[in-house]
Amino acid sequence: MDPEFFKYLEECDKELLEFNDDGIADDQESDEEPKSVPKEEPKESVKPITMEMVDSWCKGAEDGKIGSIRSILQAFRRACHYGEDSGDNSAPKFSVMSGSVLDKVMHYVLKNMDSILRQLLGAPSSGGKKEKISELMMTNSWKRNGNLMRVYLVNAFHMITEMTDDQMIAFTILRVRASAVFLAAFPSLLRKYVKTLLYTWARGRGAMPFISFLFLRDLCVQVGPDCLDTCLKGIYKAYLVNCKLSKSISGSKLQHIQFLGNCVKELYTVDPQSAYQHAFVFIRQLAVILRGALTERGPKTSKDKKQKERNKPTNKQLEKSYQKVYDWQFIFCLELWTGVVCGCSSEEDFRPLAYPLTQIIHGVACLVPSARYFPVRIRCVKMLNCIAEATGTFIPVSSLLLDMLEMKELRGRPDGGVGKAVNMFNVKQVDKKMVKTRAFQEACIYSVVDELAKHLAQWSYSVAFIEMSFLPLVQLRNFCKTIKADRFRKEMKDLIRQVEANVEFISAKRAGITFPPNDPAVDSFLQAEKEVRSSPLSEYVATLHQRAQNRIDSLDETSVIVGAESSTFSKRLSEAQKQQEEHDDSEEPIAFSKNLLAEKKKTKAAKEKSKKRARDDDDVPAEEDVVEDLVLSSDEEAEDENDGLGSDEDGSAPVEDDSDEDFVDPDSAWKKQKEKLKKRSKYQPSNKASSKTKRKPHPKKKAKH
């Protein structure tokens, strides 16, 4: 070293001469966590990290001293690996730090390291784009100190994947989110972050899902198309995993699924042109499933009766084909893409998807014309009304609702008693006993009135409303004549009265026009009244909406709002920021040391138990254990090394699978695993089979004697 430069460092930055860069050099080799090399003899004396050292490093880091920044990052690395062992033949490597020092290091680095490194590297004070990072990577400051940012991101990622406390994970993700744009410089680390954030978003609790989504959205906006395609595909598949439910759904689960769906919609609106390709593929998958359910019903026209009977599927086959469509996963996917298409209706790229999606929804509503599946039909009508309102196109929804009124379950008198109240949005089908109850009949008729009024109100300002409402009025009057319940007759008469009032409203306005029906001036007809919503049907629909909301709140104890009003992003964002500010100002920070010690004790106890089991199993014959146990354990370990999120049983959805048949059968993965287990059972040693054959003759011998 140059003597003059040595004197300069001795006077200005003495800590840089005392710095040991072993830990930083280990992190510089790869994006993955460095594996500790076991040493033959552990060091007898290790210099502990004290609070005075940390305070001096923090002060030097704020002043921009590189030696202090490297020292505090090395301490941060030791804190992230707190309690881990370097090997069986060596002493603990990262245990020379007290709990208070660890908490100080973790909080300081997570709160201040982003701004310190940005100032050191000459990056913008906040945010940024991938192009800016690409330019920054060509500078001398990045070549000298760019590895410091990678060390910070790698060790923070280690904390996110190793911790189990939701509050600690959410705090770490929130702080590392400020440095999201720098992940563009490290592609392999970026992929790991995306996969982990998708898991915490789908499976987390509290504030963790929302903070993880904000991190993912920042990556899509700042990094660009390289990250956007992976996030769009991964977030949809993670959403599918959460939609596998039973027949009924609780209010809290419905609210969680609506929040996840709103997150997916928000992410797909970041770049509609790129999102169109993914949306087209996933909507096509839904169409393939519906086509499979329709084709299993057999040919509709066949001249030969014997051939028609021969090709007729069994009841079990029909039930299986219907179950793939009338499944919560399929229904929630339809609602998701309805929300995406309606949210991007102003974009020219997404408007072509409205027609095929409408065809799929209409086919689902007409698939099984049975009263047991009325809840699914009501959901489909609700989706069609949303598409019609967003795109401004006419969709014939009234036929689906008026066909329900023609069925005997709604016309006749129910003979199953009063029954329990039915929430049409918490069930996808009802049993045969529920169909005959008065409560089910009431829920269906009220839902028909609400959706039919909403459909007619959308076109209550059209020039052709008089012709459009003629057939619905005729069928509603016929229903009033045949219905026996007075309250249902009164409900229908109120709707008929409002439709007739709107007909008079349109006829009065239409009498003064002079342009023909094909004139472009038709689009501007009653435009001022439409903006104010002053038609009789619009005012009537507002009262019906409030009544329906009160009815749902009375049925559901959690008062879950069904529709676009639930899980508002701005409200959740303000609440999350307020909670974080209160937490920062509080005197009790997150105790990383206590949680990390508890986690390491659990892992050590689990390792000891596994070792004891291995010792106990040494006496068992190896022929029966080696075949299956080794294969299963190696598969699980390979998955853990590749994913970093746990096994598939924890609900982690594949992110990098490009196949279009992922959604065709929701239970395909389980079926494949079952087939593998059957094949393995065939190749087991023959000792078990021989022992079974020897045990069979014993009862026969006893019978002879």
Side-chain angles (χ1 to χ4, degrees):
M1 182 183 291
D2 189 3
E4 295 180 0
F5 183 64
F6 182 80
K7 289 181 181 180
Y8 171 76
L9 290 178
E10 204 169 24
E11 294 174 359
C12 299
D13 198 351
K14 192 175 181 180
E15 295 176 357
L16 186 59
L17 296 175
E18 300 174 356
F19 172 69
N20 185 12
D21 60 346
D22 293 337
I24 302 296
D26 293 339
D27 282 336
Q28 191 175 358
E29 293 178 1
S30 63
D31 288 341
E32 299 180 356
E33 285 300 307
K35 298 181 180 179
S36 57
V37 180
K39 299 180 181 180
E40 298 179 357
E41 295 182 359
K43 296 181 180 179
E44 297 180 357
S45 61
V46 182
K47 186 178 179 180
I49 300 176
T50 61
M51 188 65 73
E52 290 77 10
M53 297 170 63
V54 174
D55 292 337
S56 64
W57 292 339
C58 294
K59 186 177 180 181
E62 292 175 357
D63 295 337
K65 295 182 179 180
I66 299 178
S68 300
I69 297 174
R70 290 181 180 272
S71 299
I72 196 67
L73 280 177
Q74 188 176 6
F76 176 66
R77 182 180 183 278
R78 293 184 179 181
C80 292
H81 294 268
Y82 185 69
E84 295 182 2
D85 295 336
S86 60
D88 297 335
N89 299 326
S90 61
K93 185 177 181 181
F94 304 118
S95 60
V96 289
M97 188 183 301
S98 63
S100 59
V101 173
L102 186 144
D103 293 335
K104 172 73 174 177
V105 171
M106 294 294 294
H107 280 275
Y108 180 82
V109 172
L110 290 174
K111 289 182 180 180
N112 303 311
M113 190 51 62
D114 176 72
S115 59
I116 292 172
L117 292 178
R118 281 177 181 270
Q119 186 177 2
L120 179 66
L121 298 172
S125 58
S126 62
K129 293 285 185 179
K130 181 182 177 181
E131 294 77 12
K132 184 66 178 178
I133 300 301
S134 301
E135 296 176 0
L136 186 64
M137 292 174 65
M138 304 301 293
T139 60
N140 294 328
S141 60
W142 179 271
K143 293 177 181 178
R144 289 195 304 266
N145 304 314
N147 64 313
L148 298 178
M149 179 60 75
R150 189 193 49 76
V151 170
Y152 166 61
L153 294 174
V154 165
N155 289 288
F157 175 78
H158 179 78
M159 286 294 293
I160 294 171
T161 55
E162 292 296 324
M163 289 186 299
T164 57
D165 185 76
D166 294 340
Q167 188 180 7
M168 292 170 58
I169 297 174
F171 179 81
T172 306
I173 293 174
L174 181 64
R175 293 302 178 182
V176 181
R177 178 192 162 203
S179 306
V181 67
F182 291 98
L183 289 171
F186 316 109
S188 60
L189 186 60
L190 173 63
R191 289 191 294 269
K192 294 179 182 179
Y193 261 96
V194 169
K195 189 173 287 189
T196 303
L197 290 171
L198 288 171
Y199 181 82
T200 55
W201 169 78
R203 293 295 182 181
R205 296 179 180 179
M208 184 163 56
F210 189 71
I211 295 173
S212 301
F213 170 72
L214 292 179
F215 200 145
L216 285 170
R217 192 180 186 281
D218 289 348
L219 288 175
C220 294
V221 173
Q222 296 174 359
V223 177
D226 296 339
C227 180
L228 181 62
D229 292 339
T230 304
C231 289
L232 292 178
K233 191 184 302 179
I235 199 170
Y236 177 69
K237 292 185 178 181
Y239 175 79
L240 290 181
V241 174
N242 282 271
C243 294
K244 290 184 179 181
L245 304 170
S246 57
K247 291 184 179 180
S248 61
I249 178 173
S250 62
S252 59
K253 185 64 177 177
L254 178 62
Q255 189 179 26
H256 180 64
I257 291 176
Q258 287 174 350
F259 166 72
L260 297 180
N262 284 338
C263 291
V264 179
K265 298 171 193 175
E266 181 73 15
L267 202 63
Y268 270 76
T269 56
V270 172
D271 187 0
Q273 188 174 1
S274 301
Y276 172 82
Q277 303 295 332
H278 298 278
F280 176 82
V281 171
F282 294 135
I283 292 175
R284 178 179 171 274
Q285 290 177 358
L286 300 178
V288 170
I289 298 171
L290 179 61
R291 184 184 62 184
L294 291 172
T295 53
E296 286 187 10
R297 301 171 68 179
K300 294 183 179 180
T301 58
S302 179
K303 296 181 181 179
D304 190 1
K305 294 183 179 179
K306 293 182 180 180
Q307 183 181 358
K308 189 174 182 180
E309 292 178 357
R310 196 183 304 115
N311 296 332
K312 188 177 181 181
T314 61
N315 293 332
K316 291 184 178 180
Q317 291 177 349
L318 290 176
E319 288 179 2
K320 288 181 180 179
S321 63
Y322 297 154
Q323 286 174 0
K324 292 180 182 179
V325 176
Y326 289 152
D327 184 73
W328 279 122
Q329 195 180 36
F330 192 94
I331 295 169
F332 280 128
C333 286
L334 285 179
E335 291 183 345
L336 172 68
W337 295 119
T338 300
V340 172
V341 171
C342 293
C344 300
S345 59
S346 59
E347 301 289 339
E348 295 182 359
D349 296 329
F350 261 89
R351 289 186 68 87
L353 293 176
Y355 179 74
L357 183 61
T358 301
Q359 294 294 321
I360 296 171
I361 296 172
H362 193 276
V364 172
C366 301
L367 182 61
V368 182
S370 173
R372 292 184 59 192
Y373 296 98
F374 276 175
V376 177
R377 177 172 287 202
I378 294 297
R379 278 181 173 270
C380 291
V381 170
K382 194 176 185 67
M383 288 184 271
L384 292 175
N385 279 334
C386 292
I387 295 175
E389 185 177 5
T391 59
T393 56
F394 176 76
I395 299 176
V397 172
S398 58
S399 60
L400 296 174
L401 297 171
L402 296 173
D403 288 346
M404 294 172 60
L405 299 178
E406 297 294 330
M407 295 186 181
K408 61 180 181 179
E409 288 83 2
L410 299 186
R411 281 182 172 272
R413 180 171 295 176
D415 55 357
V418 178
K420 295 182 180 180
V422 182
N423 190 347
M424 302 293 284
F425 297 99
N426 284 3
V427 293
K428 60 180 180 178
Q429 67 184 63
V430 294
D431 53 12
K432 295 180 179 178
K433 294 181 180 179
M434 181 65 71
V435 172
K436 300 178 181 180
T437 60
R438 190 187 306 168
F440 177 75
Q441 188 182 33
E442 179 181 354
C444 289
I445 291 178
Y446 283 158
S447 299
V448 168
V449 171
D450 294 343
E451 296 303 325
L452 184 59
K454 185 178 179 181
H455 166 67
L456 294 175
Q458 292 176 0
W459 305 101
S460 60
Y461 306 94
S462 174
V463 182
F465 180 79
I466 300 174
E467 293 78 13
M468 189 187 306
S469 61
F470 177 74
L471 287 178
L473 279 174
V474 172
Q475 290 185 274
L476 289 176
R477 292 191 184 105
N478 292 334
F479 181 78
C480 287
K481 293 178 182 179
T482 57
I483 191 67
K484 297 180 180 180
D486 293 337
R487 50 187 178 142
F488 297 151
R489 189 184 299 111
K490 181 182 178 182
E491 194 72 24
M492 289 298 172
K493 285 184 177 180
D494 290 342
L495 177 59
I496 292 171
R497 194 179 302 112
Q498 296 297 329
V499 175
E500 290 175 347
N502 206 92
V503 169
E504 295 177 358
F505 171 74
I506 293 295
S507 60
K509 297 290 183 180
R510 201 166 72 170
I513 63 175
T514 57
F515 51 83
N518 58 353
D519 194 280
V522 173
D523 297 334
S524 61
F525 179 71
L526 297 181
Q527 193 65 29
E529 289 82 356
K530 186 175 182 180
E531 294 176 358
V532 184
R533 295 186 178 275
S534 59
S535 68
L537 268 177
S538 297
E539 297 174 356
Y540 179 63
V541 166
T543 59
L544 289 179
H545 178 74
Q546 185 62 37
R547 187 187 67 177
Q549 190 59 56
N550 296 335
R551 187 167 62 249
I552 292 174
D553 292 343
S554 63
L555 293 175
D556 194 356
E557 296 178 357
T558 57
S559 299
V560 177
I561 301 175
V562 179
E565 298 175 2
S566 62
S567 309
T568 308
F569 282 93
S570 59
K571 184 178 179 181
R572 290 209 174 194
L573 178 59
S574 60
E575 290 178 357
Q577 290 177 347
K578 188 182 293 183
Q579 291 177 1
Q580 192 59 39
E581 290 175 0
E582 292 176 356
H583 184 270
D584 293 343
D585 297 337
S586 62
E587 296 180 356
E588 297 180 358
I590 299 176
F592 284 91
S593 56
K594 293 181 180 180
N595 293 320
L596 285 174
L597 277 176
E599 291 174 7
K600 299 308 175 185
K601 287 180 180 179
K602 290 180 182 179
T603 54
K604 287 181 180 179
K607 288 180 181 179
E608 291 178 359
K609 286 183 180 180
S610 62
K611 288 181 181 179
K612 288 182 180 180
R613 289 178 182 176
R615 292 172 184 173
D616 296 338
D617 294 340
D618 288 341
D619 299 332
V620 182
E623 294 180 356
E624 299 181 359
D625 293 338
V626 171
V627 177
E628 293 187 6
D629 292 346
L630 284 178
V631 172
L632 292 175
S633 62
S634 63
D635 291 341
E636 291 176 358
E637 289 173 3
E639 290 176 359
D640 292 342
E641 290 175 1
N642 293 331
D643 295 340
L645 302 174
S647 62
D648 290 339
E649 295 177 357
D650 296 334
S652 57
V655 178
E656 299 181 357
D657 190 6
D658 294 333
S659 62
D660 293 343
E661 299 179 356
D662 294 334
F663 185 71
V664 173
D665 191 357
D667 300 327
S668 59
W670 179 80
K671 291 178 181 179
K672 290 179 181 179
Q673 187 177 2
K674 191 174 180 181
E675 292 177 358
K676 288 181 181 179
L677 292 175
K678 286 182 179 180
K679 290 180 181 179
R680 288 173 184 168
S681 62
K682 292 181 181 179
Y683 296 102
Q684 284 182 351
S686 59
N687 295 333
K688 295 182 181 180
S690 61
S691 62
K692 289 181 181 179
T693 52
K694 290 179 181 178
R695 291 177 184 175
K696 288 182 181 178
H698 288 292
K700 294 183 180 179
K701 289 182 180 179
K702 290 182 181 180
K704 289 181 180 179
H705 288 295

